[in-house]
Amino acid sequence: MIDKINAMYEKKETHRVSRTFWTLLVVALLLWSATTVGSVNVTKNGLEIASNIIRGIFTPSTELLFNWSEQSVGYLLLETMAIAFLGTLVGAVFSFPLSFLASSKVVPFPVVIVTRLVVILIRTIPAFVYGLMFIRVTGPGPFAGLMTLSVTSIGMLTKLFSETIDDIDTSIIEALDAMGCNTFAKIRHGILPQLWSSLLSTLIFRFDMNLRDATTLGLVGAGGIGAPLIFAMSSYRWSEVGALLLGLIVLILIVEFSSSYIRKKLAHG
């Protein structure tokens, strides 16, 4: 009995020392990080600019909102949504076969290692860098944004798809293997039926992310609403900024609620 009490006391003491160590480490990191933050300086007309921004956001330009020219909010949002959708679709087409090559339950381990290294390399490069590279190749415009989102989607989708494949029930695959089925038959009858809802949910989530990324990529000239937004801000046309932001907020909210509803339906049937 005394031995048990001593063991419990030693375990509690070890946990206390561990918690103290990690707490001190986090505090030390916070203090060190604070030293890298410089002082915040407000320009002379900073408050005036801030008030103009707020006024412009709450009084958006109706001319941009309610027409269908190529510079209108509706057209730019439609272009942004098309870039995000096609980028997700193209990325999924390439990610689907790569995800099987990245799963140890489907292919030999050396193939898995090579495929995962390629995916890691793809995911290492930020979307902005891809955007700048594709703009140099294809020129500025929606196609550069489409290519950028396709490549960045490949990295994430392949990783998530392969993890989903790794979590499937292997008993079905073993039964098909015992029946003498080849790899394609095992994928068709043993893996795909278990994956559809999870894969579709992942695709919807990635589309949601790509919609936001498409807006950001527009800042470097890769199509969408980002470029007109930065141009309007640079020239202090705050009512146009308000119109563009209002349309973007509405679109993001619609996509957010729609994607959440669809994912819940896929998860719970």
Side-chain angles (χ1 to χ4, degrees), residues 232-253:
M233 293 178 67
S234 300
S235 55
Y236 303 104
R237 301 195 302 268
W238 301 118
S239 60
E240 294 183 12
V241 173
L244 294 168
L245 287 178
L246 178 61
L248 190 59
I249 290 170
V250 172
L251 177 63
I252 293 295
L253 287 175

Side-chain angles (χ1 to χ4, degrees), residues 165-184:
I165 294 171
D166 287 338
D167 293 335
I168 63 174
D169 183 9
T170 58
S171 60
I172 299 175
I173 300 177
E174 291 171 356
L176 293 171
D177 194 27
M179 294 170 60
C181 296
N182 57 27
T183 301
F184 292 103

Side-chain angles (χ1 to χ4, degrees), residues 46 52 123 132 137 166 176 202 220 240:
N52 290 335
R123 296 177 64 231
L132 292 172
V137 175
D166 287 338
L176 293 171
T202 302
V220 296
E240 294 183 12

Side-chain angles (χ1 to χ4, degrees), residues 150-220:
S150 300
V151 175
T152 54
S153 296
I154 288 173
M156 174 187 168
L157 292 177
T158 301
K159 183 178 185 297
L160 295 179
F161 285 176
S162 63
E163 290 177 353
T164 303
I165 294 171
D166 287 338
D167 293 335
I168 63 174
D169 183 9
T170 58
S171 60
I172 299 175
I173 300 177
E174 291 171 356
L176 293 171
D177 194 27
M179 294 170 60
C181 296
N182 57 27
T183 301
F184 292 103
K186 287 188 286 185
I187 292 173
R188 169 66 180 84
H189 300 286
I191 296 178
L192 291 182
Q194 302 183 60
L195 296 182
W196 278 123
S197 60
S198 179
L199 296 185
L200 289 175
S201 179
T202 302
L203 282 177
I204 294 170
F205 179 66
R206 182 63 210 186
F207 169 70
D208 198 1
M209 293 179 60
N210 280 345
L211 189 60
R212 292 166 173 80
D213 288 345
T215 303
T216 307
L217 289 173
L219 300 178
V220 296

